């Protein structure tokens, strides 16, 4: 991929076959409903028509998953055989890596370099990791009295409904699908209506890799219809969702109104990034802060959107970020030189611009950005945006914007920094920059966040869990802990 030019990506985009039909029970299924249009945010042009799934299509997919779980071979395979199937999926993702990266870049505006090197790497590694883990999970035999034997076994939970967003369409789908499959569950996956095409390709590749019919089904459609149908379905045993906190509340209600299915939520964030004066490298801290908020167009639940910086170094750090923002190359997602692509669509761009307008109205100072760019392209492009003089009570400091908009707040001492960091309904992630080991430990323990990065941001691998506290959700993706969402513990007590 590294030697593919902009012109070559454009040529490949013209020739790309984008199938927009559901993948159910091991086969492509057009469904009986209508269709909707998928528009590329890079130029506002139509990519294709996609099947608009409703209750009937969800019923068909869930019924296929139910049959595959209740009477099919998948839950009854040995764990090592399930692991081998996941490894075959990883191999096919690698084989089709260019095509998948191009599809993601077209459907949601991510730079092609990031789609190939970051998104696809994460998806491939996820299937490989859980493929290798599948036969490494052991049951328990607690010590009992001599006249009894106790067994604690992990059993697959059943049919999993996975509803995932558009910002990392394959990464987040893989974080749900791979551990669910490794556990022996069957899956109905509903991607965002903004980014359905890469998920449909994943479903077809999984079937090509040898998954039995019904084990992985992909249904496209919108959240209020297809997503709601999955949430309310009495034959879905587990619901795994990544998206907004508002929609997460809906899924909890759907579970209460149906079969009390377990609901696992990875929701929004307003992550603080704390820079202390003793940061080991202020230039690196500023560069990482800029990268973190502008990466993926700021469309990340973990984005360090609140920069909390000590007043003694605030201007130095802020100016360094502003300089980087002004130099950042915003451009066509299919150009390998592009550093920041298009926001996912016009509707989302206007929501982000509304937040910017609110920040100006509330009195924050706009240091750079704030306006559209590349309007002649027809795409949804926004300049990297930095505000300072942000008050903790402003909406800029409280609400998730999900765009390339940084809010800079200052503090005078460590206690104030921790209080500011925790003054949010969210608790997904946080960053801390300090040279003092004791400070690193004390502050990381005090921060109410599922992940704390010290002297870095967005680092880690599949060995560590990912998820949030407070209104950022529950449960964990990644690591062996993800299997807990898709298994049931059974106790068997044998009197000898």
């Amino acid at each position: 991929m590294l030697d593919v030019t902009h012109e070559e990506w454009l040529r490949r985009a013209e020739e790309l076959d984008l199938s927009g039909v559901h993948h159910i029970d091991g086969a492509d299924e057009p469904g009986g409903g209508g269709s909707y249009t998928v528009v590329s945010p890079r130029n506002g042009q139509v990519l294709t028509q996609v099947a608009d799934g409703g209750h009937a299509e969800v019923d068909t997919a869930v019924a296929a998953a139910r049959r595959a779980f209740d009477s099919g071979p998948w839950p009854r395979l040995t764990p090592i055989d399930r692991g081998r199937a996941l490894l075959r999926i990883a191999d096919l993702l690698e084989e089709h890596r260019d095509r998948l990266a191009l599809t993601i870049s077209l459907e949601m505006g991510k730079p092609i370099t990031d789609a190939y090197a970051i998104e696809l790497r994460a998806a491939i590694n996820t299937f490989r990791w859980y493929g290798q883990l599948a036969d490494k999970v052991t049951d328990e035999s607690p010590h009992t009295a001599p006249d009894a034997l106790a067994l604690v076994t992990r059993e697959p939970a059943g049919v999993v409904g996975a509803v995932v967003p558009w910002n990392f369409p394959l990464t987040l789908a893989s974080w749900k699908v791979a551990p669910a499959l490794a556990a022996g569950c069957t899956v109905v996956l509903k991607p965002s209506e903004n980014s359905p095409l890469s998920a449909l390709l994943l479903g077809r590749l999984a079937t090509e890799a040898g998954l039995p019919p019904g084990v992985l089904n992909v249904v496209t459609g919108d959240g209020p219809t297809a997503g709601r149908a999955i949430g309310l379905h009495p034959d879905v045993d587990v619901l795994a969702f990544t998206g907004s906190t508002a929609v997460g509340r809906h899924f909890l209600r759907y579970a209460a109104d149906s079969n009390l299915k377990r609901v696992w939520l990875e929701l929004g964030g307003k992550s603080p990034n704390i820079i202390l004066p003793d940061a080991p490298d202020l230039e690196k801290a500023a560069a990482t802060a800029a990268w973190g908020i502008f990466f993926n167009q700021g469309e990340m639940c973990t984005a360090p959107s609140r920069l909390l910086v000590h007043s003694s170094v605030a201007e130095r750090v802020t100016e360094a970020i502003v300089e980087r923002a002004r130099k950042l190359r915003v451009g066509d997602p299919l150009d390998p030189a592009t550093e920041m692509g298009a926001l996912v669509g016009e509707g989302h761009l206007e929501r982000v611009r509304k937040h910017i307008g609110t920040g100006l109205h509330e009195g924050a100072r706009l240091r750079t950005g704030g306006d559209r760019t590349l309007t002649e392209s027809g795409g949804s492009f926004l300049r990297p945006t930095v505000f300072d003089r942000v008050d903790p009570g402003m909406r800029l400091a409280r609400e998730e914007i999900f765009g390339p908009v940084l809010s800079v707040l200052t503090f005078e001492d460590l206690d104030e920094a921790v209080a500011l960091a925790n003054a949010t309904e969210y608790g997904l992630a946080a960053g801390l920059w300090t040279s003092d080991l004791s400070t690193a430990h004390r502050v990381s323990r005090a921060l109410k966040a599922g992940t704390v990065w010290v002297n870095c941001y967005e680092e880690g691998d599949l060995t560590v869990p990912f998820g949030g506290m407070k209104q950022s959700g529950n449960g964990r993706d990644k690591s062996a802990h993800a299997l807990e969402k898709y298994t049931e513990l059974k106790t068997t007590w044998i009197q000898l």
Side-chain angles (χ1 to χ4, degrees):
M1 180 269 180
L2 295 178
D3 59 349
V4 179
T5 64
H6 186 194
E7 291 72 21
E8 176 63 14
W9 283 121
L10 292 172
R11 186 191 68 78
R12 293 185 187 185
E14 290 292 328
E15 298 176 352
L16 190 63
D17 179 23
L18 297 170
S19 174
V21 298
H22 313 291
H23 190 78
I24 299 174
D25 210 12
D28 285 348
E29 171 58 57
S35 63
Y36 66 92
T37 300
V38 175
V39 174
S40 177
R42 64 177 287 268
N43 57 12
Q45 295 181 8
V46 173
L47 286 174
T48 190
Q49 298 293 315
V50 173
D52 193 5
H55 292 277
E57 289 76 19
V58 169
D59 283 345
T60 301
V62 173
R66 185 86 264 163
R67 287 193 303 272
F69 184 79
D70 288 347
S71 56
W74 185 253
R76 294 156 191 85
L77 291 177
T78 63
I80 196 169
D81 284 335
R82 288 200 297 269
R84 287 169 179 156
L86 267 62
L87 293 174
R88 289 194 296 271
I89 295 174
D91 290 342
L92 283 173
L93 291 176
E94 185 70 76
E95 182 180 332
H96 293 269
R97 189 169 182 167
D98 284 18
R99 180 183 175 192
L100 286 159
L102 179 57
T103 301
I104 290 169
S105 191
L106 288 171
E107 67 184 353
M108 60 77 57
K110 189 191 303 284
I112 188 67
T113 304
D114 291 345
Y116 183 93
I118 298 175
E119 174 106 16
L120 264 298
R121 179 188 65 194
I124 292 165
N125 286 347
T126 299
F127 276 97
R128 284 194 175 138
W129 199 84
Y130 285 103
Q132 293 164 349
L133 179 68
D135 65 331
K136 313 291 190 303
V137 179
T138 59
D139 294 327
E140 303 170 30
S141 180
H143 291 290
T144 63
D147 62 347
L149 174 65
L151 302 175
V152 181
T153 53
R154 292 186 178 274
E155 300 185 357
V159 175
V160 174
V163 180
V164 297
W166 45 261
N167 58 326
F168 286 90
L170 269 192
T171 297
L172 297 176
S174 300
W175 284 6
K176 314 295 189 196
V177 171
L181 295 180
C185 296
T186 58
V187 179
V188 176
L189 171 66
K190 194 205 86 67
S192 166
E193 56 268 35
N194 291 315
S195 60
L197 302 171
S198 53
L200 288 169
L201 183 50
L202 169 63
R204 292 194 293 273
L205 291 176
T207 296
E208 184 180 336
L211 288 193
V215 172
L216 176 59
N217 310 273
V218 184
V219 177
T220 55
D222 67 16
T225 304
R228 182 174 183 271
I230 293 172
L232 286 169
H233 206 290
D235 270 339
V236 173
D237 302 298
V238 176
L239 194 290
F241 171 71
T242 293
S244 72
T245 300
V247 176
R249 289 191 174 95
H250 285 304
F251 278 112
L252 290 173
R253 295 187 188 104
Y254 299 154
D257 291 341
S258 56
N259 60 342
L260 293 177
K261 60 178 63 66
R262 285 190 289 166
V263 177
W264 301 107
L265 303 173
E266 193 266 282
L267 306 174
K270 192 68 177 176
S271 300
N273 186 21
I274 303 169
I275 299 180
L276 299 178
D278 70 339
D281 186 337
L282 279 176
E283 291 302 318
K284 180 181 178 182
T288 304
W291 172 84
I293 188 59
F294 302 134
F295 170 62
N296 209 55
Q297 302 74 245
E299 297 165 327
M300 293 200 306
C301 50
T302 56
S305 54
R306 290 188 299 147
L307 179 65
L308 311 182
V309 58
H310 192 274
S311 59
S312 65
V313 294
E315 181 55 31
R316 176 181 168 187
V317 170
T318 303
E319 184 56 39
I321 294 172
V322 168
E323 183 179 354
R324 285 182 173 271
R326 289 172 177 163
K327 292 179 179 178
L328 199 68
R329 180 165 179 172
V330 181
D332 183 1
L334 299 189
D335 185 347
T338 291
E339 296 174 292
M340 196 176 93
L343 274 70
V344 73
E346 284 296 300
H348 183 59
L349 173 61
E350 289 309 309
R351 284 190 291 273
V352 174
R353 292 183 70 198
K354 185 177 180 180
H355 279 288
I356 292 170
T358 299
L360 291 169
H361 177 74
E362 291 183 333
R365 180 171 67 169
L366 180 65
R367 294 290 296 265
T368 190
D371 54 345
R372 295 187 68 145
T373 186
L374 303 177
T375 54
E376 72 284 355
S377 70
S380 304
F381 296 92
L382 182 71
R383 295 187 191 278
T385 301
V386 179
F387 282 95
D388 68 357
R389 298 181 183 173
V390 176
D391 184 87
M394 293 179 180
R395 292 173 66 182
L396 278 177
R398 295 184 290 107
E399 297 181 4
E400 185 178 37
I401 298 174
F402 220 66
V405 181
L406 179 66
S407 299
V408 181
L409 298 86
T410 61
F411 61 87
E412 299 299 329
D413 58 46
L414 198 55
D415 288 341
E416 183 185 5
V418 172
L420 284 172
N422 287 335
T424 173
E425 64 189 27
Y426 299 111
L428 190 57
L432 172 66
W433 297 80
T434 180
S435 294
D436 187 274
L437 184 61
S438 294
T439 298
H441 281 291
R442 292 201 318 272
V443 174
S444 64
R445 291 178 182 179
L447 293 174
K448 303 301 183 184
T451 299
V452 178
W453 289 289
V454 179
N455 296 332
C456 61
Y457 208 89
E458 290 292 346
E459 298 295 337
D461 58 26
L462 282 157
T463 64
V464 294
F466 174 80
M469 300 178 179
K470 299 194 284 188
Q471 292 187 38
S472 287
N474 54 49
R476 294 297 182 263
D477 288 325
K478 297 171 56 186
S479 82
H481 293 285
L483 296 175
E484 297 165 9
K485 300 195 295 187
Y486 308 112
T487 53
E488 296 279 13
L489 288 179
K490 175 180 285 184
T491 295
T492 301
W493 187 278
I494 302 172
Q495 196 68 41
L496 301 180

PDB file of all heavy atoms in Angstrom, residues 270-296:
ATOM      1  N   LYS A 270     -15.591  12.690  27.141  1.00  0.00           N
ATOM      2  CA  LYS A 270     -15.095  14.071  27.108  1.00  0.00           C
ATOM      3  C   LYS A 270     -13.772  14.052  27.849  1.00  0.00           C
ATOM      4  O   LYS A 270     -13.609  14.601  28.937  1.00  0.00           O
ATOM      5  CB  LYS A 270     -16.111  15.007  27.782  1.00  0.00           C
ATOM      6  CG  LYS A 270     -15.834  16.484  27.535  1.00  0.00           C
ATOM      7  CD  LYS A 270     -16.062  16.880  26.089  1.00  0.00           C
ATOM      8  CE  LYS A 270     -15.849  18.373  25.874  1.00  0.00           C
ATOM      9  NZ  LYS A 270     -15.967  18.744  24.457  1.00  0.00           N
ATOM     10  N   SER A 271     -12.809  13.385  27.239  1.00  0.00           N
ATOM     11  CA  SER A 271     -11.614  12.955  27.953  1.00  0.00           C
ATOM     12  C   SER A 271     -10.667  14.103  28.270  1.00  0.00           C
ATOM     13  O   SER A 271     -10.311  14.893  27.386  1.00  0.00           O
ATOM     14  CB  SER A 271     -10.885  11.885  27.137  1.00  0.00           C
ATOM     15  OG  SER A 271     -11.729  10.769  26.945  1.00  0.00           O
ATOM     16  N   PRO A 272     -10.218  14.188  29.530  1.00  0.00           N
ATOM     17  CA  PRO A 272      -9.241  15.203  29.918  1.00  0.00           C
ATOM     18  C   PRO A 272      -7.815  14.736  29.611  1.00  0.00           C
ATOM     19  O   PRO A 272      -7.493  13.555  29.729  1.00  0.00           O
ATOM     20  CB  PRO A 272      -9.452  15.325  31.423  1.00  0.00           C
ATOM     21  CG  PRO A 272      -9.875  13.942  31.843  1.00  0.00           C
ATOM     22  CD  PRO A 272     -10.677  13.391  30.691  1.00  0.00           C
ATOM     23  N   ASN A 273      -6.988  15.684  29.233  1.00  0.00           N
ATOM     24  CA  ASN A 273      -5.569  15.427  28.990  1.00  0.00           C
ATOM     25  C   ASN A 273      -4.800  16.451  29.805  1.00  0.00           C
ATOM     26  O   ASN A 273      -4.765  17.636  29.468  1.00  0.00           O
ATOM     27  CB  ASN A 273      -5.268  15.550  27.500  1.00  0.00           C
ATOM     28  CG  ASN A 273      -3.852  15.145  27.147  1.00  0.00           C
ATOM     29  OD1 ASN A 273      -3.200  14.420  27.884  1.00  0.00           O
ATOM     30  ND2 ASN A 273      -3.374  15.626  26.014  1.00  0.00           N
ATOM     31  N   ILE A 274      -4.203  16.001  30.911  1.00  0.00           N
ATOM     32  CA  ILE A 274      -3.606  16.901  31.899  1.00  0.00           C
ATOM     33  C   ILE A 274      -2.107  17.040  31.625  1.00  0.00           C
ATOM     34  O   ILE A 274      -1.376  16.039  31.593  1.00  0.00           O
ATOM     35  CB  ILE A 274      -3.815  16.360  33.328  1.00  0.00           C
ATOM     36  CG1 ILE A 274      -5.308  16.157  33.611  1.00  0.00           C
ATOM     37  CG2 ILE A 274      -3.191  17.291  34.355  1.00  0.00           C
ATOM     38  CD1 ILE A 274      -5.575  15.389  34.901  1.00  0.00           C
ATOM     39  N   ILE A 275      -1.654  18.264  31.446  1.00  0.00           N
ATOM     40  CA  ILE A 275      -0.223  18.523  31.256  1.00  0.00           C
ATOM     41  C   ILE A 275       0.284  19.332  32.439  1.00  0.00           C
ATOM     42  O   ILE A 275      -0.121  20.483  32.652  1.00  0.00           O
ATOM     43  CB  ILE A 275       0.041  19.251  29.928  1.00  0.00           C
ATOM     44  CG1 ILE A 275      -0.429  18.405  28.746  1.00  0.00           C
ATOM     45  CG2 ILE A 275       1.536  19.579  29.797  1.00  0.00           C
ATOM     46  CD1 ILE A 275      -0.193  19.049  27.390  1.00  0.00           C
ATOM     47  N   LEU A 276       1.184  18.722  33.210  1.00  0.00           N
ATOM     48  CA  LEU A 276       1.796  19.383  34.360  1.00  0.00           C
ATOM     49  C   LEU A 276       3.099  20.064  33.934  1.00  0.00           C
ATOM     50  O   LEU A 276       3.718  19.681  32.934  1.00  0.00           O
ATOM     51  CB  LEU A 276       2.066  18.359  35.463  1.00  0.00           C
ATOM     52  CG  LEU A 276       0.827  17.641  36.017  1.00  0.00           C
ATOM     53  CD1 LEU A 276       1.231  16.613  37.062  1.00  0.00           C
ATOM     54  CD2 LEU A 276      -0.146  18.648  36.616  1.00  0.00           C
ATOM     55  N   PRO A 277       3.550  21.043  34.697  1.00  0.00           N
ATOM     56  CA  PRO A 277       4.785  21.748  34.322  1.00  0.00           C
ATOM     57  C   PRO A 277       6.000  20.829  34.269  1.00  0.00           C
ATOM     58  O   PRO A 277       6.974  21.140  33.569  1.00  0.00           O
ATOM     59  CB  PRO A 277       4.941  22.812  35.420  1.00  0.00           C
ATOM     60  CG  PRO A 277       3.597  22.960  36.013  1.00  0.00           C
ATOM     61  CD  PRO A 277       2.931  21.634  35.905  1.00  0.00           C
ATOM     62  N   ASP A 278       5.974  19.705  35.029  1.00  0.00           N
ATOM     63  CA  ASP A 278       7.134  18.810  35.035  1.00  0.00           C
ATOM     64  C   ASP A 278       7.004  17.703  33.998  1.00  0.00           C
ATOM     65  O   ASP A 278       7.675  16.670  34.104  1.00  0.00           O
ATOM     66  CB  ASP A 278       7.332  18.212  36.426  1.00  0.00           C
ATOM     67  CG  ASP A 278       6.238  17.221  36.792  1.00  0.00           C
ATOM     68  OD1 ASP A 278       5.140  17.279  36.193  1.00  0.00           O
ATOM     69  OD2 ASP A 278       6.478  16.366  37.676  1.00  0.00           O
ATOM     70  N   ALA A 279       6.146  17.901  32.986  1.00  0.00           N
ATOM     71  CA  ALA A 279       6.058  16.909  31.912  1.00  0.00           C
ATOM     72  C   ALA A 279       7.456  16.650  31.349  1.00  0.00           C
ATOM     73  O   ALA A 279       8.242  17.587  31.174  1.00  0.00           O
ATOM     74  CB  ALA A 279       5.139  17.409  30.805  1.00  0.00           C
ATOM     75  N   PRO A 280       7.808  15.388  31.077  1.00  0.00           N
ATOM     76  CA  PRO A 280       9.170  15.088  30.648  1.00  0.00           C
ATOM     77  C   PRO A 280       9.567  15.771  29.343  1.00  0.00           C
ATOM     78  O   PRO A 280      10.749  16.013  29.107  1.00  0.00           O
ATOM     79  CB  PRO A 280       9.164  13.565  30.501  1.00  0.00           C
ATOM     80  CG  PRO A 280       7.724  13.173  30.412  1.00  0.00           C
ATOM     81  CD  PRO A 280       6.980  14.180  31.212  1.00  0.00           C
ATOM     82  N   ASP A 281       8.584  16.102  28.509  1.00  0.00           N
ATOM     83  CA  ASP A 281       8.877  16.756  27.231  1.00  0.00           C
ATOM     84  C   ASP A 281       7.634  17.529  26.819  1.00  0.00           C
ATOM     85  O   ASP A 281       6.683  16.951  26.287  1.00  0.00           O
ATOM     86  CB  ASP A 281       9.255  15.712  26.179  1.00  0.00           C
ATOM     87  CG  ASP A 281       9.704  16.323  24.875  1.00  0.00           C
ATOM     88  OD1 ASP A 281       9.330  17.478  24.594  1.00  0.00           O
ATOM     89  OD2 ASP A 281      10.410  15.633  24.108  1.00  0.00           O
ATOM     90  N   LEU A 282       7.631  18.833  27.062  1.00  0.00           N
ATOM     91  CA  LEU A 282       6.454  19.641  26.768  1.00  0.00           C
ATOM     92  C   LEU A 282       6.142  19.669  25.281  1.00  0.00           C
ATOM     93  O   LEU A 282       4.967  19.713  24.878  1.00  0.00           O
ATOM     94  CB  LEU A 282       6.633  21.064  27.295  1.00  0.00           C
ATOM     95  CG  LEU A 282       6.361  21.278  28.786  1.00  0.00           C
ATOM     96  CD1 LEU A 282       6.674  22.721  29.173  1.00  0.00           C
ATOM     97  CD2 LEU A 282       4.909  20.947  29.128  1.00  0.00           C
ATOM     98  N   GLU A 283       7.167  19.661  24.453  1.00  0.00           N
ATOM     99  CA  GLU A 283       6.920  19.669  23.008  1.00  0.00           C
ATOM    100  C   GLU A 283       6.223  18.381  22.575  1.00  0.00           C
ATOM    101  O   GLU A 283       5.293  18.400  21.767  1.00  0.00           O
ATOM    102  CB  GLU A 283       8.245  19.845  22.257  1.00  0.00           C
ATOM    103  CG  GLU A 283       8.866  21.214  22.422  1.00  0.00           C
ATOM    104  CD  GLU A 283       7.931  22.324  21.966  1.00  0.00           C
ATOM    105  OE1 GLU A 283       7.278  22.158  20.910  1.00  0.00           O
ATOM    106  OE2 GLU A 283       7.841  23.346  22.670  1.00  0.00           O
ATOM    107  N   LYS A 284       6.667  17.259  23.132  1.00  0.00           N
ATOM    108  CA  LYS A 284       6.016  15.994  22.812  1.00  0.00           C
ATOM    109  C   LYS A 284       4.596  15.972  23.353  1.00  0.00           C
ATOM    110  O   LYS A 284       3.670  15.472  22.692  1.00  0.00           O
ATOM    111  CB  LYS A 284       6.814  14.827  23.398  1.00  0.00           C
ATOM    112  CG  LYS A 284       6.199  13.460  23.097  1.00  0.00           C
ATOM    113  CD  LYS A 284       6.994  12.327  23.722  1.00  0.00           C
ATOM    114  CE  LYS A 284       6.317  10.984  23.448  1.00  0.00           C
ATOM    115  NZ  LYS A 284       7.058   9.857  24.091  1.00  0.00           N
ATOM    116  N   ALA A 285       4.390  16.513  24.540  1.00  0.00           N
ATOM    117  CA  ALA A 285       3.050  16.559  25.119  1.00  0.00           C
ATOM    118  C   ALA A 285       2.117  17.368  24.233  1.00  0.00           C
ATOM    119  O   ALA A 285       0.974  16.960  23.976  1.00  0.00           O
ATOM    120  CB  ALA A 285       3.105  17.150  26.522  1.00  0.00           C
ATOM    121  N   ALA A 286       2.594  18.515  23.748  1.00  0.00           N
ATOM    122  CA  ALA A 286       1.775  19.354  22.871  1.00  0.00           C
ATOM    123  C   ALA A 286       1.509  18.662  21.541  1.00  0.00           C
ATOM    124  O   ALA A 286       0.379  18.682  21.026  1.00  0.00           O
ATOM    125  CB  ALA A 286       2.465  20.698  22.646  1.00  0.00           C
ATOM    126  N   ALA A 287       2.542  18.038  20.979  1.00  0.00           N
ATOM    127  CA  ALA A 287       2.371  17.341  19.702  1.00  0.00           C
ATOM    128  C   ALA A 287       1.383  16.190  19.826  1.00  0.00           C
ATOM    129  O   ALA A 287       0.547  15.957  18.935  1.00  0.00           O
ATOM    130  CB  ALA A 287       3.720  16.825  19.211  1.00  0.00           C
ATOM    131  N   THR A 288       1.451  15.459  20.931  1.00  0.00           N
ATOM    132  CA  THR A 288       0.539  14.341  21.140  1.00  0.00           C
ATOM    133  C   THR A 288      -0.883  14.838  21.362  1.00  0.00           C
ATOM    134  O   THR A 288      -1.849  14.223  20.889  1.00  0.00           O
ATOM    135  CB  THR A 288       1.002  13.485  22.319  1.00  0.00           C
ATOM    136  OG1 THR A 288       2.346  13.058  22.088  1.00  0.00           O
ATOM    137  CG2 THR A 288       0.120  12.260  22.498  1.00  0.00           C
ATOM    138  N   ALA A 289      -1.015  15.956  22.099  1.00  0.00           N
ATOM    139  CA  ALA A 289      -2.343  16.534  22.307  1.00  0.00           C
ATOM    140  C   ALA A 289      -2.971  16.935  20.982  1.00  0.00           C
ATOM    141  O   ALA A 289      -4.168  16.702  20.749  1.00  0.00           O
ATOM    142  CB  ALA A 289      -2.249  17.738  23.244  1.00  0.00           C
ATOM    143  N   ALA A 290      -2.170  17.528  20.098  1.00  0.00           N
ATOM    144  CA  ALA A 290      -2.679  17.921  18.779  1.00  0.00           C
ATOM    145  C   ALA A 290      -3.038  16.697  17.952  1.00  0.00           C
ATOM    146  O   ALA A 290      -4.101  16.636  17.319  1.00  0.00           O
ATOM    147  CB  ALA A 290      -1.640  18.773  18.059  1.00  0.00           C
ATOM    148  N   TRP A 291      -2.150  15.707  17.945  1.00  0.00           N
ATOM    149  CA  TRP A 291      -2.451  14.481  17.199  1.00  0.00           C
ATOM    150  C   TRP A 291      -3.731  13.834  17.721  1.00  0.00           C
ATOM    151  O   TRP A 291      -4.606  13.423  16.935  1.00  0.00           O
ATOM    152  CB  TRP A 291      -1.289  13.489  17.323  1.00  0.00           C
ATOM    153  CG  TRP A 291      -1.627  12.151  16.733  1.00  0.00           C
ATOM    154  CD1 TRP A 291      -1.527  11.777  15.428  1.00  0.00           C
ATOM    155  CD2 TRP A 291      -2.164  11.015  17.433  1.00  0.00           C
ATOM    156  NE1 TRP A 291      -1.968  10.484  15.264  1.00  0.00           N
ATOM    157  CE2 TRP A 291      -2.364   9.994  16.471  1.00  0.00           C
ATOM    158  CE3 TRP A 291      -2.489  10.773  18.765  1.00  0.00           C
ATOM    159  CZ2 TRP A 291      -2.879   8.742  16.827  1.00  0.00           C
ATOM    160  CZ3 TRP A 291      -3.008   9.531  19.112  1.00  0.00           C
ATOM    161  CH2 TRP A 291      -3.192   8.535  18.153  1.00  0.00           C
ATOM    162  N   GLY A 292      -3.873  13.769  19.043  1.00  0.00           N
ATOM    163  CA  GLY A 292      -4.999  13.063  19.623  1.00  0.00           C
ATOM    164  C   GLY A 292      -6.345  13.667  19.271  1.00  0.00           C
ATOM    165  O   GLY A 292      -7.313  12.947  19.036  1.00  0.00           O
ATOM    166  N   ILE A 293      -6.436  14.993  19.224  1.00  0.00           N
ATOM    167  CA  ILE A 293      -7.724  15.624  18.954  1.00  0.00           C
ATOM    168  C   ILE A 293      -8.015  15.690  17.463  1.00  0.00           C
ATOM    169  O   ILE A 293      -9.192  15.712  17.057  1.00  0.00           O
ATOM    170  CB  ILE A 293      -7.812  17.030  19.587  1.00  0.00           C
ATOM    171  CG1 ILE A 293      -9.234  17.594  19.476  1.00  0.00           C
ATOM    172  CG2 ILE A 293      -6.794  17.975  18.989  1.00  0.00           C
ATOM    173  CD1 ILE A 293     -10.307  16.757  20.131  1.00  0.00           C
ATOM    174  N   PHE A 294      -7.008  15.697  16.614  1.00  0.00           N
ATOM    175  CA  PHE A 294      -7.242  15.822  15.181  1.00  0.00           C
ATOM    176  C   PHE A 294      -7.198  14.483  14.450  1.00  0.00           C
ATOM    177  O   PHE A 294      -7.648  14.392  13.303  1.00  0.00           O
ATOM    178  CB  PHE A 294      -6.244  16.804  14.561  1.00  0.00           C
ATOM    179  CG  PHE A 294      -6.293  18.173  15.184  1.00  0.00           C
ATOM    180  CD1 PHE A 294      -5.120  18.835  15.537  1.00  0.00           C
ATOM    181  CD2 PHE A 294      -7.507  18.792  15.436  1.00  0.00           C
ATOM    182  CE1 PHE A 294      -5.171  20.093  16.119  1.00  0.00           C
ATOM    183  CE2 PHE A 294      -7.569  20.044  16.034  1.00  0.00           C
ATOM    184  CZ  PHE A 294      -6.396  20.706  16.374  1.00  0.00           C
ATOM    185  N   PHE A 295      -6.663  13.445  15.085  1.00  0.00           N
ATOM    186  CA  PHE A 295      -6.652  12.113  14.469  1.00  0.00           C
ATOM    187  C   PHE A 295      -8.084  11.658  14.220  1.00  0.00           C
ATOM    188  O   PHE A 295      -8.967  11.835  15.051  1.00  0.00           O
ATOM    189  CB  PHE A 295      -5.924  11.126  15.385  1.00  0.00           C
ATOM    190  CG  PHE A 295      -6.058   9.687  14.970  1.00  0.00           C
ATOM    191  CD1 PHE A 295      -5.563   9.250  13.755  1.00  0.00           C
ATOM    192  CD2 PHE A 295      -6.689   8.777  15.797  1.00  0.00           C
ATOM    193  CE1 PHE A 295      -5.685   7.921  13.368  1.00  0.00           C
ATOM    194  CE2 PHE A 295      -6.811   7.452  15.435  1.00  0.00           C
ATOM    195  CZ  PHE A 295      -6.312   7.027  14.215  1.00  0.00           C
ATOM    196  N   ASN A 296      -8.307  11.058  13.067  1.00  0.00           N
ATOM    197  CA  ASN A 296      -9.633  10.564  12.682  1.00  0.00           C
ATOM    198  C   ASN A 296     -10.658  11.702  12.699  1.00  0.00           C
ATOM    199  O   ASN A 296     -11.833  11.490  13.002  1.00  0.00           O
ATOM    200  CB  ASN A 296     -10.082   9.417  13.591  1.00  0.00           C
ATOM    201  CG  ASN A 296     -11.020   8.451  12.878  1.00  0.00           C
ATOM    202  OD1 ASN A 296     -10.710   7.917  11.833  1.00  0.00           O
ATOM    203  ND2 ASN A 296     -12.199   8.243  13.458  1.00  0.00           N
TER     204      ASN A 296
END
